[in-house]
Amino acid sequence: MDFQLPEELSLLKDNVRKFVDAELIPIERDVCDGHKIKPEMRTMLEEKAQALGLWLFDVPVEHGGQGLGLLAKAVVWTELARTIALPTRAASIFGPLVSPILFHLNDQQKEHYLYPVIRGEKVSCFVQTEPDAGGDPGAMRTTAVRHGDEYVINGTKRFITNADASDFAQVFAATDREKGSRGGISAFLVDMDTPGIKLLRQQETMMDDRPWEIAFDDVRVPAENLIGEEGEGFKHAQNWISEGRVRHGARGIGVIERCLELGASYAKQRVTFGQPLADRQAVQWMLVDMYTELHQLRLMVHQAAWKADQGGDIRYESYMCKYFGDTKSFEAADRCMQIHGGLGLTTDLPIEKMWRDQRSFIITEGPTEILKMALARQVLREYG
Amino acid sequence: MKIMVAVKRVIDYNVKIRVKNDETGVETANVKMSMNPFDEIAIEEGVRLAEAGTAEELVAVSMGGDGTQETIRTALAMGADRGIHVASDEALEPLAVAKLLKALADKESPDLIILGKQAIDDDSNQTGQMLAALLGWSQGTFASKLEFDGGHVSVTREIDGGLETLRLAMPAVITTDLRLNTPRYASLPNIMKAKKKTIDQMSPEDLGVDVTPRLTTLKVVEPAKREAGVMVETVEELLDKLKNEAKVI
C-alpha cells in the first residue's frame, strides 16, 4: 500500500502551488470584478495557464485536452482552491467550460455543440433545476412532448448559471412524468435564440454566481437535438456527477490548507492580554481540528480519485467526499474567521469569500442531507 | 555543445528551519525538499541554450540519497534531456561533490558545466570554484549574463559597484547569480515526458571518488533570539545606553 502521490503528480502539485503562490495569491482580490474575471486579467492569466500546460486539463485527449485522470485533476483543483482569485463556478483561466454531458453527443451533435465550445466559439448553460425540483430532479415539471419531428418544451427553470451569455442550453425535461428519474427524463440541446425562451430574472446570491430563472413556452426543438435516447437524460450523469463531488472534496483540501496557513500565522502574531492567541488552548484546538480534518479529507479524496482511475465505482466515496469536504472546509473558514476576529470579516483578507463559497457548496450541486439520504440507504444495506 | 548542470536537493526555501534537539544538525524528517533555487536558474539557462540551438544535449546530475531522484526528475521536467544520480547517504561536502562532478565531467566530456553559485542550505559557495580548479578549466562565477561566440563564452558578473565581463575559453565552469534568468514552471506535458527520460544511477565507488567527510560538525545551534527594541526618551539616554549597555561607543 502506497499513500504517496506518484512522482509526476507531486511535481504537478509543486508547480501549480508555485503558480498559485507567485501569480494568483498576490492579486487575488483584484482578479474579478464582481463574480467575473476582468477581461485584461483573463488574457494575462490564460497565457500563464497555457505556459503551465494546463489548458483544457479536464477535457479528454481525443477532444484536444490534457485528459488528466481524476487523481491528477484532484491535485490541480486542490492547489487552485488555496486562492480566491478565480471564480469557483464559472469558466476559469484553463480554457472554456465544457460540460461533460457534451462528450456523450453523437458525431453530428458534436460538430454543432461540442467542438465550438472547446474552440471557445460557443457558450452553453446547464438547465436542470426547477423551483420545485433541485436535489430531486425526478420531480421536475418541465415537459417535452413529441410532435412529429419536434419536441415541444414547456416549464420554468431556476438557478441557471450563465443563461444570459449562452448560445445554447442542455435542457432536462420530463418525457414521462410517471417514470421520473427512472427513465422519464430526457436531455436536449436547445439554441437559446429559439422562440419561446424567456429570461425572467437574474438573482443576486452570496456566492460567485448570478443565476437566472427562465421560462420555456412552447419551445420547439428538432428531434435530432435529443441527447442519447428518450428517457436517458441521466444515463451518463453518474460518472461525471461522481467526479464533480470529488471535486468538492478536493477543493475543500485547498481551502482548509489556506485557512490553516492564515489561522496559524495570525494566532502567533496576535497578542491579547499579554499572550499570543497561539498559546491559548481554545485557539490551538481549532487549529488541531482543522489539521486533523485536512488529513482525513486528503486521504478520502486521494483514495476515491485513485479508485476511479482504476475503473472502480466511487458513487458512495464521492458522496462522502462532497459532504465531508464541503462541511469541514466551511468549518475551517469559520474557525479561521473566528481566530482573526473582526479582521476576518473584512474584504482585506480572503476568509469571508472562502466562507461564503464553502457555505454555498453545502447546498448546491447536491445538498448534504440528500447525500446523507443516499449514504443511509447504502449503510443500511451493507450493515443492516 | 554539451552542457552538464549540477542540481542539489535542499530544504524548500519556504520551510522554517528547525535545529534538532541534539544539536547535530537541522531537522529534515517530514520537511518539504526541493531544488536549490540557484540550480533552477542553472537548469533554466541550459534549457534556454538548448532551445536556442546553442546546446545539443543537457544532462542534469545530482548526488545524495533516494530523494535526489525527485530533484533530477524536476530538472528533466524543466527540459533537461537525461539525468545522472550518484547515490550516497554520506553527508557530501563541497570538495567531495566537486570531485564527483570532475569524475562525471571526465566521463561525459561536456563543453560547459553550470552550477548554482551556492546552495541555500549550507551557503558554502565552493563547489563550482573547486570543480574548475580540479578540472583546470576557466571559471565564471556569479554570472548574470552569458554570451557565446565560437569556442568562447562571455560572462557578465555582478561585482561590488558594477558589472565585470570575462571572456572564457571553453570548456568552462559557470555558476549562476539570481539575475541570470527567471526559471520556468515545468509544464504538464513536460512533466509527463520527464517520466520517460532516463536517470543513470552510479555510486561514488564506481567513479573512484572517496567521499568520506573531512570536516567534523561540532554542533548546530539556532541564532540567538533577537531582543525586543526599546524606545529612548532623550539623546542623552541613547548615548548612555550605547556606552554602558551596548558598549559600542
Side-chain angles (χ1 to χ4, degrees):
Chain A
M1 203 171 197
D2 186 356
F3 289 97
Q4 294 294 318
L5 282 177
E7 196 178 56
E8 70 275 11
L9 294 193
S10 111
L11 258 174
L12 174 65
K13 180 185 161 78
D14 282 357
N15 269 302
V16 181
R17 174 159 295 219
K18 272 193 217 163
F19 174 74
V20 168
D21 283 337
E23 315 281 357
L24 295 180
I25 286 181
I27 54 167
E28 64 185 350
R29 279 287 181 188
D30 306 318
V31 176
C32 289
D33 184 9
H35 65 293
K36 288 193 171 149
I37 302 184
K38 295 175 190 166
E40 68 275 19
M41 285 284 183
R42 174 174 295 283
T43 312
M44 187 265 286
L45 291 171
E46 281 182 348
E47 272 169 26
K48 291 186 172 172
Q50 279 171 337
L52 261 177
L54 284 178
W55 194 251
L56 294 174
F57 71 87
D58 51 0
V59 171
V61 178
E62 63 266 34
H63 300 310
Q66 304 287 342
L68 291 190
L70 188 52
L71 184 55
K73 281 189 274 193
V75 163
V76 177
W77 290 327
T78 291
E79 293 307 320
L80 293 175
R82 283 180 58 251
T83 176
I84 58 160
L86 307 176
T88 49
R89 291 169 193 271
S92 191
I93 57 171
F94 303 102
L97 195 67
V98 188
S99 170
I101 196 171
L102 300 178
F103 300 131
H104 298 288
L105 303 183
N106 64 35
D107 289 345
Q108 200 195 342
Q109 292 171 336
K110 278 180 182 161
E111 285 299 325
H112 280 95
Y113 295 104
L114 171 64
Y115 302 131
V117 168
I118 292 177
R119 290 195 298 263
E121 295 159 11
K122 280 189 180 177
V123 172
S124 81
C125 57
F126 189 83
V127 180
Q128 178 180 305
T129 301
E130 297 184 3
D132 288 308
D136 52 347
M140 69 176 61
R141 293 180 187 173
T142 298
T143 55
V145 179
R146 181 141 188 173
H147 287 288
D149 291 343
E150 288 178 333
Y151 283 90
V152 180
I153 301 178
N154 277 291
T156 305
K157 296 285 186 180
R158 183 186 275 179
F159 299 138
I160 308 307
T161 302
N162 230 8
D164 55 334
S166 291
D167 300 289
F168 71 95
Q170 306 136 55
V171 179
F172 289 76
T175 35
D176 185 341
R177 286 198 61 199
E178 290 291 304
K179 290 187 187 163
S181 57
R182 294 174 191 279
I185 308 294
S186 305
F188 300 89
L189 297 158
V190 183
D191 292 318
M192 287 299 279
D193 57 6
T194 312
I197 299 179
K198 261 186 253 136
L199 270 60
L200 299 178
R201 64 177 183 130
Q202 190 174 25
Q203 286 182 300
E204 283 290 318
T205 69
M206 65 187 259
M207 57 188 175
D208 266 347
D209 195 5
R210 301 293 174 269
W212 287 82
E213 192 165 307
I214 56 181
F216 291 78
D217 188 7
D218 280 336
V219 175
R220 297 180 165 279
V221 182
E224 70 217 37
N225 281 21
L226 176 68
I227 301 176
E229 298 292 319
E230 202 176 285
E232 288 189 345
F234 295 145
K235 186 185 169 192
H236 300 293
Q238 196 55 55
N239 280 341
W240 53 265
I241 291 182
S242 288
E243 275 208 23
R245 295 194 192 104
V246 172
R247 178 184 186 158
H248 281 261
R251 266 190 54 80
I253 301 171
V255 169
I256 301 178
E257 270 204 284
R258 184 77 191 280
C259 289
L260 271 172
E261 291 162 24
L262 292 166
S265 56
Y266 187 71
K268 281 164 126 177
Q269 283 170 35
R270 170 76 167 119
V271 175
T272 55
F273 307 105
Q275 224 183 335
L277 289 181
D279 286 356
R280 300 187 190 279
Q281 206 170 49
V283 171
Q284 287 175 352
W285 286 21
M286 287 193 219
L287 293 169
V288 168
D289 285 343
M290 287 154 77
Y291 190 48
T292 309
E293 286 156 8
L294 169 68
H295 187 55
Q296 287 173 290
L297 182 59
R298 189 185 281 127
L299 289 172
M300 285 171 73
V301 168
H302 285 189
Q303 187 275 342
W306 167 84
K307 186 175 170 189
D309 287 343
Q310 311 299 308
D313 181 343
I314 56 159
R315 185 180 314 201
Y316 299 107
E317 285 92 340
S318 80
Y319 293 147
M320 290 188 256
C321 285
K322 181 173 191 298
Y323 129 62
F324 191 77
D326 285 341
T327 46
K328 293 305 169 187
S329 54
F330 170 67
E331 284 173 26
D334 196 56
R335 289 179 181 129
C336 183
M337 188 179 264
Q338 192 68 18
I339 291 170
H340 280 78
L343 266 187
L345 303 170
T346 67
T347 51
D348 288 353
L349 293 176
I351 306 166
E352 59 80 34
K353 171 73 166 54
M354 292 193 287
W355 191 93
R356 287 185 285 119
D357 283 340
Q358 297 317 111
R359 183 64 188 84
S360 72
F361 284 132
I362 297 176
I363 293 172
T364 61
E365 296 170 31
T368 294
E369 292 72 18
I370 287 182
L371 300 172
K372 284 187 172 179
M373 251 168 64
L375 281 166
R377 279 198 295 274
Q378 173 61 8
V379 72
L380 290 169
R381 258 199 304 269
E382 200 176 326
Y383 290 94
Chain B
M1 181 166 74
K2 178 171 173 178
I3 300 177
M4 186 163 100
V5 175
V7 296
K8 183 177 184 183
R9 181 175 173 80
V10 296
I11 294 178
D12 188 85
Y13 64 94
N14 274 320
V15 171
K16 286 184 193 113
I17 304 295
R18 269 193 319 135
V19 172
K20 283 187 194 165
N21 289 338
D22 63 5
E23 299 189 338
T24 56
V26 296
E27 192 58 73
T28 54
N30 290 320
V31 168
K32 182 171 164 49
M33 308 291 283
S34 54
M35 188 189 294
N36 178 39
F38 291 108
D39 302 349
E40 282 187 342
I41 295 171
I43 287 284
E44 175 66 32
E45 196 63 18
V47 175
R48 288 185 190 190
L49 290 170
E51 284 171 347
T54 311
E56 287 86 47
E57 194 182 20
L58 178 62
V59 185
V61 305
S62 189
M63 33 271 315
D66 284 342
T68 310
Q69 295 245 356
E70 198 181 289
T71 307
I72 298 174
R73 196 69 68 187
T74 305
L76 299 180
M78 286 175 72
D81 298 302
R82 63 188 170 88
I84 301 175
H85 172 209
V86 183
S88 170
D89 291 324
E90 282 283 359
L92 297 171
E93 291 168 0
L95 182 58
V97 174
K99 285 178 179 172
L100 290 170
L101 288 171
K102 176 186 186 296
L104 289 173
D106 291 342
K107 244 169 103 81
E108 293 283 334
S109 321
D111 303 285
L112 197 68
I113 303 179
I114 313 179
L115 307 86
K117 69 172 180 181
Q118 67 199 68
I120 59 166
D121 50 3
D122 58 14
D123 278 333
S124 291
N125 187 353
Q126 296 170 2
T127 307
Q129 294 87 334
M130 287 176 170
L131 174 62
L134 291 172
L135 285 166
W137 291 7
S138 334
Q139 58 174 300
T141 52
F142 315 126
S144 60
K145 191 174 168 196
L146 300 182
E147 279 174 308
F148 293 84
D149 66 293
H152 289 81
V153 53
S154 295
V155 182
T156 304
R157 310 175 66 232
E158 298 193 350
I159 56 169
D160 287 346
L163 298 173
E164 174 186 69
T165 305
L166 304 176
R167 189 160 179 271
L168 311 179
M170 298 216 282
V173 174
I174 305 291
T175 74
T176 62
D177 212 331
L178 265 187
R179 274 160 290 273
L180 182 58
N181 60 50
T182 307
R184 69 194 61 199
Y185 300 107
S187 75
L188 177 60
N190 286 340
I191 289 173
M192 295 305 173
K193 273 185 220 152
K195 252 176 99 172
K196 299 193 186 84
K197 294 179 180 173
T198 53
I199 299 178
D200 291 326
Q201 200 160 12
M202 51 193 77
S203 67
E205 294 74 44
D206 295 337
L207 295 168
V209 176
D210 176 14
V211 294
T212 315
R214 294 158 166 255
L215 305 173
T216 311
T217 301
L218 300 179
K219 66 175 176 175
V220 176
V221 293
E222 284 201 32
K225 284 235 164 26
R226 236 182 102 179
E227 302 275 329
V230 284
M231 296 295 285
V232 289
E233 297 287 330
T234 61
V235 173
E236 287 72 31
E237 194 188 343
L238 173 65
L239 286 173
D240 176 66
K241 282 188 183 295
L242 289 174
K243 263 185 201 146
N244 301 318
E245 251 178 63
K247 297 190 172 41
V248 289
I249 52 174

